[in-house]
Amino acid sequence: MLGFLKSDPKKKLQKAYEDKLAKALHAQRNGDLRSHGTLMEEAEKIYAEIQTLEQGKN
């Protein structure tokens, strides 16, 4: 009945994924390739979680 009040975990993960990608892009543009690599790894892990959630709904 009150399902609309629950937060969507996919939206939260999607926002975190986009934030990591933006930070990685910023680090790359500044020449900090080590941080860029780390942030991209973290973004890939978040993307994998998103894919897992999508597979669970199907």
Side-chain angles (χ1 to χ4, degrees):
M1 185 167 112
L2 296 176
F4 66 91
L5 292 177
K6 294 181 183 177
S7 64
D8 185 14
K10 184 181 171 196
K11 277 187 178 180
K12 186 176 181 181
L13 286 173
Q14 185 69 33
K15 174 110 172 84
Y17 176 68
E18 290 172 5
D19 287 343
K20 289 287 182 187
L21 288 179
K23 287 179 183 179
L25 178 65
H26 184 70
Q28 183 182 27
R29 286 184 177 169
N30 286 333
D32 189 359
L33 297 181
R34 186 169 300 196
S35 292
H36 173 261
T38 303
L39 289 167
M40 287 302 294
E41 270 187 44
E42 292 172 6
E44 288 174 4
K45 288 178 186 176
I46 293 170
Y47 185 73
E49 289 179 36
I50 292 170
Q51 293 300 318
T52 303
L53 281 176
E54 286 180 355
Q55 292 295 324
K57 288 187 178 185
N58 291 333

